[in-house]
Amino acid sequence: CRHRPEPDPELNTMNDQQPTVDATLTVETRTRAADGVLSLTLRRPDGGSLPAWTPGAHIDVLLDGDDGGDLIRQYSLCGHPGERDVWQIAVLREPDGRGGSAYVHDHLYEGAKVRVRGPRNNFPLRPAARHLFIAGGVGITPILPMVEAAEAAGADWRLLYGGRTRTSMAFLDRLTPYGDRVLVRPQDEYGLLDLTTFLGVPEEGTLVHACGPEPLLRAVQEQCATWPPGTLGVERFAPVRTAQTGPADAFEVELARSGLTLTVPPDRSVLETVEEAGIAVDFSCREGTCGTCETDVLDGTPDHRDSLLSEDERAAGDTMLICVSRSCGPRLVLDL
């Protein structure tokens, strides 16, 4: 993880040299984007500019739960990157969720204040001659700015957009101008998305970008299994639930910059252990999906249990998400 920014100044620069903010913003507008989907625009109280962002970026939204606990949720930015005075997010109310979306819907009215951090981008729009976009439900949020950027760049692109019903699918009005480049396929009218036909056969220079519920992403991954490595980029709502592999024993973690050596017990994460030792680190989801706690590995072999790193990144072994991943051996050395 990267060290938390000092309280002042508000703006700081992270390791990727992208400006970020940790500040309290005001809800400027609150509108219904679709059935169960709320769109919010956020602005600085003083009207000042916000950090630049690129398509695929998300922000952390820090909420006060109804039970008094703090909630941190990640929401993709779905406005226009050129608008530096406001950020736009869209939130689907999840009846069986963990409380974050319900809090947004029930408490964040126009004029409300909310603390945010970011932006960060783990799902960038990579350069390509041709783009195939796939969105399921509220997964349209990171895809929408990507589509608009691809169009502005003159790239060849198509979008397959699915949802339960047409009325549950947000931002159809922003997609209408693109005509038949966008395939809107609500499930109650068309059934499951026809990924086989949409993706076709692998083509050189084509990248696939997908965001949506896990069953859709699994199906996309299966369809892209024979495509060249690195073709597919995905953004997940939740961690992949897979069997934990590798050792569950205690291991040592050396913090190179802090000069500490700590023991990580079987029932504690590296992040929890580091926090207990008084080392300030950035974190957010604690599930291995947002990338906030990504940490450089200086020695040792990580046991990757996240839902974010690519296969190439895992094989390299020089970075890990310390909120969920562990060690394959008795010792790790981290750049903390």
Side-chain angles (χ1 to χ4, degrees), residues 211-227:
C211 182
E214 188 57 32
L216 171 62
L217 298 184
R218 283 200 303 268
V220 173
Q221 288 176 314
E222 290 172 3
Q223 287 292 326
C224 292
T226 60
W227 288 54

Side-chain angles (χ1 to χ4, degrees), residues 1 3-4 255 257-260 262 271-283 336:
C1 284
H3 286 284
R4 287 191 185 279
L255 309 184
R257 282 190 278 124
S258 302
L260 296 177
L262 308 173
L271 174 60
E272 291 168 330
T273 303
V274 169
E275 284 183 296
E276 289 172 357
I279 304 300
V281 293
D282 269 345
F283 67 90
L336 287 175

Side-chain angles (χ1 to χ4, degrees), residues 129-130 202-206 228:
R130 182 170 178 258
E203 292 187 22
E204 186 176 353
T206 297

Side-chain angles (χ1 to χ4, degrees), residues 4 29 32 52 161 212 216 222 306 330:
R4 287 191 185 279
T29 64
R32 176 184 174 276
Y161 180 18
L216 171 62
E222 290 172 3
D306 64 274

Side-chain angles (χ1 to χ4, degrees), residues 112-307:
K113 299 292 193 294
V114 62
R115 184 182 166 201
V116 303
R117 294 193 307 233
R120 292 182 176 85
N121 198 339
N122 302 316
F123 185 46
L125 178 65
R126 296 167 290 155
R130 182 170 178 258
H131 298 277
L132 296 177
F133 300 105
I134 301 171
V138 77
I140 191 63
T141 51
I143 296 292
L144 186 56
M146 290 184 170
V147 163
E148 294 172 342
E151 176 70 11
D156 180 16
W157 65 271
R158 295 178 67 208
L159 166 64
L160 179 63
Y161 180 18
R164 291 178 291 101
T165 64
R166 194 173 295 268
T167 59
S168 72
M169 299 170 68
F171 304 119
L172 292 177
D173 55 332
R174 282 174 61 180
L175 295 169
T176 299
Y178 301 124
D180 59 7
R181 285 196 176 197
V182 177
L183 301 177
V184 177
R185 295 293 184 265
Q187 188 173 349
D188 64 339
E189 298 177 27
Y190 292 90
L192 297 177
L193 293 179
D194 185 355
L195 298 175
T196 302
T197 300
F198 179 73
L199 291 170
V201 297
E203 292 187 22
E204 186 176 353
T206 297
L207 292 180
V208 181
H209 317 265
C211 182
E214 188 57 32
L216 171 62
L217 298 184
R218 283 200 303 268
V220 173
Q221 288 176 314
E222 290 172 3
Q223 287 292 326
C224 292
T226 60
W227 288 54
T231 295
L232 175 62
V234 300
E235 177 92 317
R236 285 186 159 83
F237 299 151
V240 179
R241 302 300 180 187
T242 57
Q244 298 292 288
T245 59
D249 298 331
F251 60 94
E252 285 189 345
V253 57
E254 178 183 337
L255 309 184
R257 282 190 278 124
S258 302
L260 296 177
T261 298
L262 308 173
T263 298
V264 181
D267 60 343
R268 306 291 282 175
S269 69
V270 176
L271 174 60
E272 291 168 330
T273 303
V274 169
E275 284 183 296
E276 289 172 357
I279 304 300
V281 293
D282 269 345
F283 67 90
S284 184
C285 72
R286 293 185 181 269
E287 294 182 326
T289 58
C290 75
T292 307
C293 74
E294 186 174 351
T295 302
D296 289 339
V297 178
L298 305 180
D299 193 25
T301 304
D303 175 16
H304 296 291
R305 302 185 182 189
D306 64 274
S307 304

Side-chain angles (χ1 to χ4, degrees), residues 13-49:
T13 301
M14 306 303 280
N15 289 352
D16 59 5
Q17 301 302 307
Q18 293 296 314
T20 64
V21 70
D22 184 337
T24 298
L25 304 185
T26 301
V27 178
E28 182 177 59
T29 64
R30 168 187 166 112
T31 58
R32 176 184 174 276
D35 289 348
V37 180
L38 187 64
S39 174
L40 303 177
T41 57
L42 309 174
R43 181 186 293 273
R44 282 183 177 272
D46 61 5
S49 63

